Amino acid sequence: MAQDADKDVQEMVAQILAVRDRRDEAAFAALFVHFAPRVKGFLMRSGASEALAEDCAQDVMATVWNKAHLFDPSRASVATWIFTIARNRRIDAIRKARRPEPEDLDWGPEPEPDQAEVMALQQDSARLVDALEKLPEKQRRLIERAYYGDLTHSEIAEETGLPLGTIKSRIRLALEKLRHAMS
Amino acid sequence: MKIRHHLSDKLLMAYSAGALPEAFSLVVATHISLCDECRARLASYDAVGGAVLEDTPDVAMSSGSLAATMKLIRERAAADVGPSPRAPEPTALGMTETVLPAPVREYVGGDIDAVRWRPLGGGVRQAILPTAKDARVRLLHIPAGVAVPDHGHRGTELTQVLRGAFRDEHDRFGPGDIEIATEDTHHTPVAEPGEDCICLAATDAPLRFNALLPRIAQPFFRI
Ligand SMILES: [Zn+2]
């Protein structure tokens, strides 16, 4: 698999941490160049007009800045984290609906995440992008349509064919360690 | 809490994609609040969303959009309109254990004492929570040993156990468990003896309790 993709995800993590820890505007600008046009495309595919998508994409990126302290590289890639912000904005601004969120886990005093774990999770995420690209066209389109909000819940299929096993167990491992540390 | 009945992949993906009616989202968020396994599975589905976003073709932002965003950030910082820090969870402070998980407490406006119950007969009580009307969600309080009111499964119905347990012909659902019933599910759930059962139940079919109330004399509970 592309080492470039690994390098890219690592670089994005470094950028968001620079925003989080140093309020680094140059790092933010780099994230903006990469993500804002994708978020705009994502929202337009979800049915937003170009003007609304532009406004919402700016709003999403402002939230990335404001909530950078909530980003945890041992739990999500930058793309995943920004996806959740964009999705919530879509539900709120386009569907005009409310989205109940799970109770936050009490993560306790921020332990510095284990670098090997961060690396593994970030690589898994990059591999998932790869796997998605390699799915048969029809299947990939269905998954994309689901995430663009184009399918109802009853239209979403049980089987996606995506290799979620590794990433799932990686996150579960992190959760278990955390619970262990808290008990 | 040993959870045996979990969310389906389909529900997790739909929640991650933002495709669920609000009432179903509330049940899914409640289960995840109680279940680390499903929390981890949800994180995987969110990662799929991240991959989709990464693969989404760009649409150029307007010129000056970065400057406009920085301006937005500064305005927000000045007005400090960001969400105020949440009050610490009572449980985190080592106070008494809450019955309702945080997402449900938000809809109730407090814990179990704040629920405005309405009697359904037979000692069963319900409280419908305010959500968008494409699906409905309610809290049910079923006394120990009493059958869950039959309401027919005309759509999908999710029943999340918060306290106590119920049993049907096939299985047992204890604290933290979720039952996912479809139109084809025919069963007679009964709250276990010993402890009253409190559930959060959502359906995308219209509730029929109200229509049945005037005819309460007819067999309402299948015991
Ligand atoms: Zn579960």
Side-chain angles (χ1 to χ4, degrees), chain A residues 35-63:
Chain A
F35 281 109
R38 282 180 169 76
V39 170
K40 185 173 175 180
F42 174 85
L43 293 169
M44 286 175 70
R45 272 155 200 264
S46 303
S49 68
E50 195 188 342
L52 180 60
E54 167 85 26
D55 277 1
C56 289
Q58 289 186 20
D59 186 277
V60 165
M61 294 310 294
T63 304

PDB file of all heavy atoms in Angstrom, chain A residues 35-63:
ATOM      1  N   PHE A  35      -9.075  19.898   3.491  1.00  0.00           N
ATOM      2  CA  PHE A  35     -10.397  19.404   3.901  1.00  0.00           C
ATOM      3  C   PHE A  35     -11.575  20.290   3.490  1.00  0.00           C
ATOM      4  O   PHE A  35     -12.658  19.760   3.198  1.00  0.00           O
ATOM      5  CB  PHE A  35     -10.439  19.174   5.414  1.00  0.00           C
ATOM      6  CG  PHE A  35      -9.778  17.892   5.823  1.00  0.00           C
ATOM      7  CD1 PHE A  35      -8.570  17.896   6.485  1.00  0.00           C
ATOM      8  CD2 PHE A  35     -10.359  16.669   5.500  1.00  0.00           C
ATOM      9  CE1 PHE A  35      -7.942  16.699   6.835  1.00  0.00           C
ATOM     10  CE2 PHE A  35      -9.746  15.477   5.845  1.00  0.00           C
ATOM     11  CZ  PHE A  35      -8.533  15.491   6.514  1.00  0.00           C
ATOM     12  N   ALA A  36     -11.418  21.609   3.490  1.00  0.00           N
ATOM     13  CA  ALA A  36     -12.589  22.454   3.230  1.00  0.00           C
ATOM     14  C   ALA A  36     -13.261  22.110   1.892  1.00  0.00           C
ATOM     15  O   ALA A  36     -14.489  21.949   1.847  1.00  0.00           O
ATOM     16  CB  ALA A  36     -12.202  23.932   3.304  1.00  0.00           C
ATOM     17  N   PRO A  37     -12.481  21.930   0.785  1.00  0.00           N
ATOM     18  CA  PRO A  37     -13.151  21.587  -0.484  1.00  0.00           C
ATOM     19  C   PRO A  37     -13.807  20.202  -0.460  1.00  0.00           C
ATOM     20  O   PRO A  37     -14.810  19.971  -1.137  1.00  0.00           O
ATOM     21  CB  PRO A  37     -12.009  21.606  -1.509  1.00  0.00           C
ATOM     22  CG  PRO A  37     -10.900  22.370  -0.856  1.00  0.00           C
ATOM     23  CD  PRO A  37     -11.020  22.100   0.605  1.00  0.00           C
ATOM     24  N   ARG A  38     -13.270  19.297   0.340  1.00  0.00           N
ATOM     25  CA  ARG A  38     -13.885  17.971   0.452  1.00  0.00           C
ATOM     26  C   ARG A  38     -15.180  18.058   1.258  1.00  0.00           C
ATOM     27  O   ARG A  38     -16.186  17.441   0.905  1.00  0.00           O
ATOM     28  CB  ARG A  38     -12.932  16.996   1.143  1.00  0.00           C
ATOM     29  CG  ARG A  38     -11.839  16.486   0.234  1.00  0.00           C
ATOM     30  CD  ARG A  38     -10.926  15.516   0.971  1.00  0.00           C
ATOM     31  NE  ARG A  38     -10.031  14.829   0.052  1.00  0.00           N
ATOM     32  CZ  ARG A  38      -8.951  15.384  -0.493  1.00  0.00           C
ATOM     33  NH1 ARG A  38      -8.646  16.642  -0.220  1.00  0.00           N
ATOM     34  NH2 ARG A  38      -8.190  14.678  -1.320  1.00  0.00           N
ATOM     35  N   VAL A  39     -15.135  18.835   2.336  1.00  0.00           N
ATOM     36  CA  VAL A  39     -16.348  19.011   3.141  1.00  0.00           C
ATOM     37  C   VAL A  39     -17.430  19.683   2.299  1.00  0.00           C
ATOM     38  O   VAL A  39     -18.603  19.283   2.328  1.00  0.00           O
ATOM     39  CB  VAL A  39     -16.050  19.830   4.421  1.00  0.00           C
ATOM     40  CG1 VAL A  39     -17.339  20.220   5.136  1.00  0.00           C
ATOM     41  CG2 VAL A  39     -15.139  19.038   5.358  1.00  0.00           C
ATOM     42  N   LYS A  40     -17.017  20.659   1.490  1.00  0.00           N
ATOM     43  CA  LYS A  40     -17.991  21.339   0.628  1.00  0.00           C
ATOM     44  C   LYS A  40     -18.587  20.344  -0.369  1.00  0.00           C
ATOM     45  O   LYS A  40     -19.817  20.300  -0.558  1.00  0.00           O
ATOM     46  CB  LYS A  40     -17.313  22.491  -0.112  1.00  0.00           C
ATOM     47  CG  LYS A  40     -18.280  23.329  -0.944  1.00  0.00           C
ATOM     48  CD  LYS A  40     -17.583  24.563  -1.506  1.00  0.00           C
ATOM     49  CE  LYS A  40     -18.512  25.336  -2.425  1.00  0.00           C
ATOM     50  NZ  LYS A  40     -17.836  26.533  -2.976  1.00  0.00           N
ATOM     51  N   GLY A  41     -17.739  19.532  -0.985  1.00  0.00           N
ATOM     52  CA  GLY A  41     -18.219  18.506  -1.914  1.00  0.00           C
ATOM     53  C   GLY A  41     -19.152  17.516  -1.222  1.00  0.00           C
ATOM     54  O   GLY A  41     -20.204  17.151  -1.742  1.00  0.00           O
ATOM     55  N   PHE A  42     -18.761  17.114  -0.011  1.00  0.00           N
ATOM     56  CA  PHE A  42     -19.554  16.180   0.790  1.00  0.00           C
ATOM     57  C   PHE A  42     -20.952  16.752   1.049  1.00  0.00           C
ATOM     58  O   PHE A  42     -21.967  16.072   0.870  1.00  0.00           O
ATOM     59  CB  PHE A  42     -18.807  15.925   2.109  1.00  0.00           C
ATOM     60  CG  PHE A  42     -19.544  15.100   3.119  1.00  0.00           C
ATOM     61  CD1 PHE A  42     -19.505  13.718   3.065  1.00  0.00           C
ATOM     62  CD2 PHE A  42     -20.251  15.709   4.154  1.00  0.00           C
ATOM     63  CE1 PHE A  42     -20.178  12.952   4.014  1.00  0.00           C
ATOM     64  CE2 PHE A  42     -20.916  14.950   5.097  1.00  0.00           C
ATOM     65  CZ  PHE A  42     -20.883  13.571   5.032  1.00  0.00           C
ATOM     66  N   LEU A  43     -21.016  18.018   1.426  1.00  0.00           N
ATOM     67  CA  LEU A  43     -22.304  18.626   1.755  1.00  0.00           C
ATOM     68  C   LEU A  43     -23.160  18.834   0.507  1.00  0.00           C
ATOM     69  O   LEU A  43     -24.383  18.697   0.546  1.00  0.00           O
ATOM     70  CB  LEU A  43     -22.086  19.950   2.503  1.00  0.00           C
ATOM     71  CG  LEU A  43     -21.456  19.781   3.895  1.00  0.00           C
ATOM     72  CD1 LEU A  43     -21.025  21.122   4.463  1.00  0.00           C
ATOM     73  CD2 LEU A  43     -22.420  19.087   4.854  1.00  0.00           C
ATOM     74  N   MET A  44     -22.509  19.152  -0.631  1.00  0.00           N
ATOM     75  CA  MET A  44     -23.283  19.310  -1.863  1.00  0.00           C
ATOM     76  C   MET A  44     -23.862  17.970  -2.308  1.00  0.00           C
ATOM     77  O   MET A  44     -24.991  17.895  -2.787  1.00  0.00           O
ATOM     78  CB  MET A  44     -22.426  19.942  -2.953  1.00  0.00           C
ATOM     79  CG  MET A  44     -22.211  21.437  -2.684  1.00  0.00           C
ATOM     80  SD  MET A  44     -21.089  22.231  -3.837  1.00  0.00           S
ATOM     81  CE  MET A  44     -22.087  22.203  -5.331  1.00  0.00           C
ATOM     82  N   ARG A  45     -23.075  16.905  -2.126  1.00  0.00           N
ATOM     83  CA  ARG A  45     -23.611  15.585  -2.452  1.00  0.00           C
ATOM     84  C   ARG A  45     -24.732  15.198  -1.498  1.00  0.00           C
ATOM     85  O   ARG A  45     -25.543  14.334  -1.802  1.00  0.00           O
ATOM     86  CB  ARG A  45     -22.503  14.535  -2.391  1.00  0.00           C
ATOM     87  CG  ARG A  45     -21.803  14.431  -3.722  1.00  0.00           C
ATOM     88  CD  ARG A  45     -20.405  13.909  -3.592  1.00  0.00           C
ATOM     89  NE  ARG A  45     -19.662  14.273  -4.788  1.00  0.00           N
ATOM     90  CZ  ARG A  45     -19.494  13.464  -5.825  1.00  0.00           C
ATOM     91  NH1 ARG A  45     -19.996  12.254  -5.802  1.00  0.00           N
ATOM     92  NH2 ARG A  45     -18.834  13.869  -6.883  1.00  0.00           N
ATOM     93  N   SER A  46     -24.753  15.817  -0.332  1.00  0.00           N
ATOM     94  CA  SER A  46     -25.828  15.561   0.628  1.00  0.00           C
ATOM     95  C   SER A  46     -27.034  16.448   0.359  1.00  0.00           C
ATOM     96  O   SER A  46     -27.950  16.492   1.165  1.00  0.00           O
ATOM     97  CB  SER A  46     -25.333  15.820   2.047  1.00  0.00           C
ATOM     98  OG  SER A  46     -24.211  15.032   2.340  1.00  0.00           O
ATOM     99  N   GLY A  47     -27.001  17.187  -0.755  1.00  0.00           N
ATOM    100  CA  GLY A  47     -28.178  17.958  -1.145  1.00  0.00           C
ATOM    101  C   GLY A  47     -28.118  19.437  -0.827  1.00  0.00           C
ATOM    102  O   GLY A  47     -29.084  20.159  -1.058  1.00  0.00           O
ATOM    103  N   ALA A  48     -26.990  19.932  -0.309  1.00  0.00           N
ATOM    104  CA  ALA A  48     -26.906  21.359  -0.009  1.00  0.00           C
ATOM    105  C   ALA A  48     -26.609  22.136  -1.290  1.00  0.00           C
ATOM    106  O   ALA A  48     -25.919  21.638  -2.180  1.00  0.00           O
ATOM    107  CB  ALA A  48     -25.804  21.612   1.016  1.00  0.00           C
ATOM    108  N   SER A  49     -27.141  23.354  -1.381  1.00  0.00           N
ATOM    109  CA  SER A  49     -26.781  24.246  -2.486  1.00  0.00           C
ATOM    110  C   SER A  49     -25.320  24.629  -2.323  1.00  0.00           C
ATOM    111  O   SER A  49     -24.744  24.455  -1.245  1.00  0.00           O
ATOM    112  CB  SER A  49     -27.639  25.503  -2.438  1.00  0.00           C
ATOM    113  OG  SER A  49     -27.283  26.262  -1.283  1.00  0.00           O
ATOM    114  N   GLU A  50     -24.729  25.182  -3.381  1.00  0.00           N
ATOM    115  CA  GLU A  50     -23.322  25.536  -3.267  1.00  0.00           C
ATOM    116  C   GLU A  50     -23.103  26.590  -2.189  1.00  0.00           C
ATOM    117  O   GLU A  50     -22.143  26.506  -1.413  1.00  0.00           O
ATOM    118  CB  GLU A  50     -22.749  26.025  -4.606  1.00  0.00           C
ATOM    119  CG  GLU A  50     -21.239  26.017  -4.494  1.00  0.00           C
ATOM    120  CD  GLU A  50     -20.476  26.640  -5.645  1.00  0.00           C
ATOM    121  OE1 GLU A  50     -21.056  26.816  -6.733  1.00  0.00           O
ATOM    122  OE2 GLU A  50     -19.296  26.968  -5.424  1.00  0.00           O
ATOM    123  N   ALA A  51     -24.002  27.565  -2.126  1.00  0.00           N
ATOM    124  CA  ALA A  51     -23.832  28.644  -1.143  1.00  0.00           C
ATOM    125  C   ALA A  51     -23.914  28.093   0.288  1.00  0.00           C
ATOM    126  O   ALA A  51     -23.092  28.428   1.143  1.00  0.00           O
ATOM    127  CB  ALA A  51     -24.897  29.717  -1.370  1.00  0.00           C
ATOM    128  N   LEU A  52     -24.906  27.223   0.518  1.00  0.00           N
ATOM    129  CA  LEU A  52     -25.049  26.642   1.862  1.00  0.00           C
ATOM    130  C   LEU A  52     -23.841  25.759   2.202  1.00  0.00           C
ATOM    131  O   LEU A  52     -23.317  25.802   3.317  1.00  0.00           O
ATOM    132  CB  LEU A  52     -26.352  25.825   1.942  1.00  0.00           C
ATOM    133  CG  LEU A  52     -26.656  25.138   3.282  1.00  0.00           C
ATOM    134  CD1 LEU A  52     -26.768  26.160   4.413  1.00  0.00           C
ATOM    135  CD2 LEU A  52     -27.951  24.315   3.192  1.00  0.00           C
ATOM    136  N   ALA A  53     -23.396  24.984   1.206  1.00  0.00           N
ATOM    137  CA  ALA A  53     -22.257  24.092   1.436  1.00  0.00           C
ATOM    138  C   ALA A  53     -21.000  24.900   1.754  1.00  0.00           C
ATOM    139  O   ALA A  53     -20.211  24.524   2.624  1.00  0.00           O
ATOM    140  CB  ALA A  53     -22.025  23.194   0.221  1.00  0.00           C
ATOM    141  N   GLU A  54     -20.818  26.013   1.068  1.00  0.00           N
ATOM    142  CA  GLU A  54     -19.660  26.879   1.330  1.00  0.00           C
ATOM    143  C   GLU A  54     -19.714  27.407   2.764  1.00  0.00           C
ATOM    144  O   GLU A  54     -18.736  27.315   3.513  1.00  0.00           O
ATOM    145  CB  GLU A  54     -19.662  28.037   0.316  1.00  0.00           C
ATOM    146  CG  GLU A  54     -18.709  29.180   0.634  1.00  0.00           C
ATOM    147  CD  GLU A  54     -17.275  28.961   0.135  1.00  0.00           C
ATOM    148  OE1 GLU A  54     -17.099  28.215  -0.848  1.00  0.00           O
ATOM    149  OE2 GLU A  54     -16.348  29.542   0.749  1.00  0.00           O
ATOM    150  N   ASP A  55     -20.873  27.930   3.156  1.00  0.00           N
ATOM    151  CA  ASP A  55     -21.039  28.452   4.523  1.00  0.00           C
ATOM    152  C   ASP A  55     -20.780  27.374   5.565  1.00  0.00           C
ATOM    153  O   ASP A  55     -20.080  27.597   6.549  1.00  0.00           O
ATOM    154  CB  ASP A  55     -22.473  28.973   4.721  1.00  0.00           C
ATOM    155  CG  ASP A  55     -22.635  30.387   4.188  1.00  0.00           C
ATOM    156  OD1 ASP A  55     -21.627  30.925   3.650  1.00  0.00           O
ATOM    157  OD2 ASP A  55     -23.745  30.937   4.293  1.00  0.00           O
ATOM    158  N   CYS A  56     -21.396  26.219   5.325  1.00  0.00           N
ATOM    159  CA  CYS A  56     -21.257  25.127   6.304  1.00  0.00           C
ATOM    160  C   CYS A  56     -19.819  24.616   6.353  1.00  0.00           C
ATOM    161  O   CYS A  56     -19.325  24.269   7.427  1.00  0.00           O
ATOM    162  CB  CYS A  56     -22.211  23.978   5.986  1.00  0.00           C
ATOM    163  SG  CYS A  56     -23.934  24.380   6.295  1.00  0.00           S
ATOM    164  N   ALA A  57     -19.149  24.566   5.203  1.00  0.00           N
ATOM    165  CA  ALA A  57     -17.758  24.084   5.191  1.00  0.00           C
ATOM    166  C   ALA A  57     -16.882  25.035   6.014  1.00  0.00           C
ATOM    167  O   ALA A  57     -16.011  24.597   6.772  1.00  0.00           O
ATOM    168  CB  ALA A  57     -17.245  23.959   3.764  1.00  0.00           C
ATOM    169  N   GLN A  58     -17.122  26.343   5.880  1.00  0.00           N
ATOM    170  CA  GLN A  58     -16.367  27.305   6.695  1.00  0.00           C
ATOM    171  C   GLN A  58     -16.662  27.097   8.174  1.00  0.00           C
ATOM    172  O   GLN A  58     -15.768  27.122   9.022  1.00  0.00           O
ATOM    173  CB  GLN A  58     -16.726  28.739   6.290  1.00  0.00           C
ATOM    174  CG  GLN A  58     -16.177  29.133   4.922  1.00  0.00           C
ATOM    175  CD  GLN A  58     -16.421  30.606   4.590  1.00  0.00           C
ATOM    176  OE1 GLN A  58     -16.669  31.431   5.466  1.00  0.00           O
ATOM    177  NE2 GLN A  58     -16.359  30.927   3.305  1.00  0.00           N
ATOM    178  N   ASP A  59     -17.935  26.874   8.452  1.00  0.00           N
ATOM    179  CA  ASP A  59     -18.348  26.650   9.830  1.00  0.00           C
ATOM    180  C   ASP A  59     -17.699  25.382  10.403  1.00  0.00           C
ATOM    181  O   ASP A  59     -17.224  25.369  11.542  1.00  0.00           O
ATOM    182  CB  ASP A  59     -19.875  26.534   9.844  1.00  0.00           C
ATOM    183  CG  ASP A  59     -20.417  26.435  11.248  1.00  0.00           C
ATOM    184  OD1 ASP A  59     -20.423  25.320  11.810  1.00  0.00           O
ATOM    185  OD2 ASP A  59     -20.802  27.477  11.791  1.00  0.00           O
ATOM    186  N   VAL A  60     -17.669  24.319   9.593  1.00  0.00           N
ATOM    187  CA  VAL A  60     -17.050  23.061  10.026  1.00  0.00           C
ATOM    188  C   VAL A  60     -15.570  23.294  10.325  1.00  0.00           C
ATOM    189  O   VAL A  60     -15.054  22.846  11.358  1.00  0.00           O
ATOM    190  CB  VAL A  60     -17.229  21.959   8.952  1.00  0.00           C
ATOM    191  CG1 VAL A  60     -16.305  20.773   9.208  1.00  0.00           C
ATOM    192  CG2 VAL A  60     -18.687  21.500   8.899  1.00  0.00           C
ATOM    193  N   MET A  61     -14.881  24.022   9.451  1.00  0.00           N
ATOM    194  CA  MET A  61     -13.451  24.248   9.659  1.00  0.00           C
ATOM    195  C   MET A  61     -13.210  25.131  10.882  1.00  0.00           C
ATOM    196  O   MET A  61     -12.230  24.939  11.616  1.00  0.00           O
ATOM    197  CB  MET A  61     -12.799  24.838   8.406  1.00  0.00           C
ATOM    198  CG  MET A  61     -12.786  23.904   7.190  1.00  0.00           C
ATOM    199  SD  MET A  61     -12.161  22.214   7.501  1.00  0.00           S
ATOM    200  CE  MET A  61     -10.440  22.522   7.888  1.00  0.00           C
ATOM    201  N   ALA A  62     -14.104  26.075  11.132  1.00  0.00           N
ATOM    202  CA  ALA A  62     -13.977  26.890  12.351  1.00  0.00           C
ATOM    203  C   ALA A  62     -14.143  26.000  13.590  1.00  0.00           C
ATOM    204  O   ALA A  62     -13.446  26.187  14.592  1.00  0.00           O
ATOM    205  CB  ALA A  62     -15.007  28.019  12.349  1.00  0.00           C
ATOM    206  N   THR A  63     -15.048  25.035  13.494  1.00  0.00           N
ATOM    207  CA  THR A  63     -15.234  24.090  14.605  1.00  0.00           C
ATOM    208  C   THR A  63     -13.987  23.239  14.809  1.00  0.00           C
ATOM    209  O   THR A  63     -13.630  22.909  15.945  1.00  0.00           O
ATOM    210  CB  THR A  63     -16.476  23.200  14.343  1.00  0.00           C
ATOM    211  OG1 THR A  63     -17.606  24.046  14.134  1.00  0.00           O
ATOM    212  CG2 THR A  63     -16.746  22.277  15.511  1.00  0.00           C
TER     213      THR A  63
END
